[in-house]
């Protein structure tokens, strides 16, 4: 794929998820994505540091801007570019996140004393967050967060043992928005400090041609076998899962190639789509780069990420083995064959570019040496991938590829940032009301302290 094709035909902004935007707005978005990406890369390289809340405000603010520009207020909207309503939300997002950034130091010095304007801006920030989440996050998570806000306010009306005294709007906003316990808590911190770097790493590997390498390897290894294209989907999705850790990105990258091949050899269309989705979902649990939840789990439990990755390795292999066997049995049942020889690349020709997989090895080696995931992803992953890209002209990291990588990463990371901030409200309400201890105590009483029934 040439640089021109990457930018013109694979532009992440040209997606059915997003509205059609004018060229001028698209250029502004590209500038915003480049600034956001390089900002986080400089932080990963420890060129400079920022207080946690300030960093998270910038991270979330950029995500909100991109969402309000790209995602329409209504899914049926035919507007080209952001309309008046979207511009109002953009202004509100800039005001709320900017206020948080510039007011942070003063709030620390005030030691828990807040002005009426602080509360008003906190309400505005929460409203903006929920509107952005409504556009891009699963409705179930939005409803859960809204329910938790109602639970915090109407706590005295809930049945025992879940009732509590109930908190005023002022107290809820203070806890969720003006401290590090809610929106700007540790979960958004995982997105701003860790997940974004790994998303950028996956985009860089895609930009230098690793996706093509994975598809070629999978094709060469399994293309001749019975029902080969479905097995290509499993193997290529497993390889891509090692890089991206994001299901939709995995489907978009490998599905374009594997689903038509599966249909071509005789798999029903619905089965072809299901195989690709099931295989791509495994990327969430396949080390070294797992899904966003893995980073949140490691941070919450206070254990090294590599310990979590080691524990996930065997279940991930078993998962992909199960999917692989399923497609094989279906191929036998349908009497399907593999691809023809002229459709299968020679393994030796494909393997010549296998050095592009070295960044994966670099990440694992650095994490085994107890370096942080961010340090490992930047130096062992992104920096090494960019260096290796210059070994061949076709993989060289050019300015157009840099734009592609930044926009691809940002189109994924903006959703994760808002989702993590929304989860922060749920966690914040839990810490404010103490409901987690209530639930834990209820489980303990029901199970008598036995571990296995408690897990169920």
């Amino acid at each position: 794929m040439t640089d021109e094709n990457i930018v013109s035909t694979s532009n992440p902004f040209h997606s059915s998820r997003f509205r059609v935007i004018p060229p001028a707005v698209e250029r502004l978005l590209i500038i915003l994505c480049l600034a956001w990406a390089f900002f986080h890369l400089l932080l990963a390289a420890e060129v400079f540091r920022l207080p946690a809340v300030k960093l998270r405000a910038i991270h979330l603010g950029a995500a909100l801007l991109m969402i309000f520009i790209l995602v329409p207020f209504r899914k049926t909207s035919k507007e080209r570019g952001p309309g008046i309503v979207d511009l109002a939300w953009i202004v509100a997002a800039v005001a709320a996140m900017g206020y948080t950034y510039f007011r942070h130091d003063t709030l620390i010095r005030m030691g828990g004393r807040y002005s009426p304007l602080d509360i008003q801006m906190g309400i505005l920030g929460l409203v903006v967050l929920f509107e952005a989440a409504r556009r891009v996050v699963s409705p179930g998570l939005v409803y859960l967060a809204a329910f938790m806000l109602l639970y915090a306010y109407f706590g005295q009306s809930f049945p025992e043992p879940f009732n509590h005294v109930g908190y005023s709007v002022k107290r809820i906003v203070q806890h969720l928005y003006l401290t590090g316990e809610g929106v700007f808590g540790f979960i958004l911190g995982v997105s701003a400090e860790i997940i974004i770097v790994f998303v950028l790493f996956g985009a860089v590997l895609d930009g230098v041609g690793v996706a093509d390498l994975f598809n070629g390897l999978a094709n060469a290894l399994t293309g001749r076998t019975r029902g080969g294209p479905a097995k290509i989907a499993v193997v290529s999705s497993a390889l891509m899962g090692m890089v991206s850790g994001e299901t939709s990105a995995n489907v978009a990258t490998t599905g374009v190639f594997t689903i038509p091949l599966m249909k071509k050899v005789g798999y029903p269309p619905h089965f072809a789509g299901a195989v690709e989705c099931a295989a791509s979902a495994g990327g969430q649990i396949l080390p070294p780069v797992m899904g966003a939840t893995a980073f949140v789990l490691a941070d919450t439990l206070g254990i090294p990420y590599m310990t979590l990755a080691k524990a996930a390795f065997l279940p991930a292999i078993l998962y992909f083995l199960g999917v692989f066997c399923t497609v094989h049995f279906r191929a036998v049942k349908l009497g399907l064959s593999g691809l023809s020889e002229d459709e299968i690349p020679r393994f030796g020709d494909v393997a010549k570019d296998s050095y592009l997989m070295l960044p994966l090895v670099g990440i694992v080696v650095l994490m085994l040496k107890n370096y942080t995931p961010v340090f490992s992803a930047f130096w062992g992953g992104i920096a090494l991938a960019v260096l290796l890209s210059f070994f061949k002209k076709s993989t060289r990291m050019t300015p157009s590829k840099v734009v592609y990588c930044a926009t691809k990463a940002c189109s994924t990371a903006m959703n994760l940032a808002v989702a993590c901030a929304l989860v922060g409200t749920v966690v914040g309400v839990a810490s404010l009301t103490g409901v987690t201890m209530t639930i834990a105590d209820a489980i303990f009483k029901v199970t008598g302290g036995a571990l296995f029934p408690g897990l169920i």
Side-chain angles (χ1 to χ4, degrees), residues 158-451:
F158 280 73
E160 293 185 356
F162 301 104
N163 60 333
H164 58 84
V165 296
Y167 295 92
S168 66
V169 172
K170 179 180 178 180
R171 182 72 181 89
I172 294 171
V173 172
Q174 287 176 359
H175 189 78
L176 296 186
Y177 195 84
L178 300 174
T179 69
E181 294 291 329
V183 173
F184 301 105
F186 76 94
I187 295 182
L188 181 58
V190 173
S191 174
E193 299 161 27
I194 301 176
I195 295 174
I196 179 65
V197 181
F198 277 88
V199 172
L200 284 165
F201 167 63
V204 168
L205 285 191
D206 187 20
V208 301
V210 170
D212 293 334
L213 169 64
F214 286 163
N215 285 332
L217 288 174
N219 198 346
L221 290 171
T222 62
R224 295 178 179 83
T225 61
R226 192 184 281 268
K231 296 173 183 176
I232 293 171
V234 176
V235 175
S236 61
S237 294
L239 293 171
M240 278 302 300
M242 295 170 62
V243 175
S244 67
E246 213 274 315
T247 303
S248 59
N250 204 343
V251 172
T253 303
T254 61
V256 174
F257 167 70
T258 57
I259 291 176
L261 281 179
M262 283 188 271
K263 292 165 64 177
K264 181 179 179 181
V265 298
Y267 281 107
H270 68 273
F271 185 79
V275 167
E276 180 58 46
C277 290
S280 295
Q284 293 281 314
I285 58 172
L286 185 61
V289 182
M290 297 189 286
T293 308
F295 296 102
V296 176
L297 280 173
D299 196 71
T300 304
L301 298 175
I303 61 176
Y305 175 77
M306 203 60 194
T307 301
L308 199 66
K310 291 176 183 176
F313 182 74
L314 181 58
I317 296 299
L318 293 175
Y319 176 88
F320 279 104
L321 180 61
V323 178
F324 191 90
C325 291
T326 298
V327 299
H328 174 75
F329 297 146
R330 178 59 67 92
V332 172
K333 180 180 179 180
L334 296 176
L336 303 181
S337 59
L339 297 174
S340 60
E341 285 296 324
D342 59 341
E343 294 178 293
I344 301 173
R346 292 178 54 191
F347 182 81
D349 294 337
V350 177
K352 289 188 296 184
D353 292 334
S354 58
Y355 66 89
L356 292 173
M357 298 176 67
L358 285 176
L360 288 171
V361 179
I363 286 182
V364 173
V365 169
L366 289 179
M367 286 200 290
L368 287 174
K369 291 182 176 293
N370 294 322
Y371 287 99
T372 65
V374 174
F375 183 94
S376 303
F378 180 78
W379 293 109
I382 296 174
L384 181 57
V386 172
L387 179 64
L388 293 174
S389 74
F390 287 93
F391 285 13
K392 287 180 63 177
K393 183 178 180 180
S394 60
T395 63
R396 191 173 301 158
M397 185 59 69
T398 59
S400 57
K401 285 187 178 181
V402 171
V403 170
Y404 167 76
C405 293
T407 54
K408 179 180 174 63
C410 291
S411 65
T412 298
M414 69 180 189
N415 298 346
L416 294 175
V418 170
C420 287
L422 194 66
V423 171
T425 65
V426 177
V427 174
V429 170
S431 66
L432 176 65
T433 61
V435 68
T436 49
M437 296 302 299
T438 301
I439 294 174
D441 184 62
I443 293 174
F444 183 83
K445 288 179 179 178
V446 170
T447 62
L451 179 60

Side-chain angles (χ1 to χ4, degrees), residues 144-168:
L144 174 62
F147 171 79
M148 292 299 286
L149 290 181
L150 294 174
Y151 174 69
Y153 186 78
F154 294 105
Q156 70 277 10
S157 302
F158 280 73
E160 293 185 356
F162 301 104
N163 60 333
H164 58 84
V165 296
Y167 295 92
S168 66

Side-chain angles (χ1 to χ4, degrees), residues 48-117:
F48 65 92
R49 294 177 181 271
L50 277 177
V53 172
K54 287 188 172 183
L55 165 60
R56 295 164 192 176
I58 294 175
H59 179 73
L60 180 58
L64 292 172
L65 288 180
M66 286 186 279
I67 288 171
F68 290 134
I69 292 173
L70 282 170
V71 184
F73 182 76
R74 295 186 303 272
K75 292 184 178 180
T76 57
S77 174
K78 302 297 183 181
E79 289 181 323
R80 287 181 56 88
I84 298 298
V85 174
D86 299 300
L87 292 176
W89 284 113
I90 289 172
V91 171
V94 172
M97 296 302 118
Y99 187 86
T100 299
Y101 181 90
F102 292 107
R103 182 70 169 165
H104 174 67
D105 295 336
T106 303
L107 290 178
I108 292 178
R109 290 195 297 269
M110 291 174 66
R113 298 187 304 274
Y114 303 104
S115 69
L117 182 58

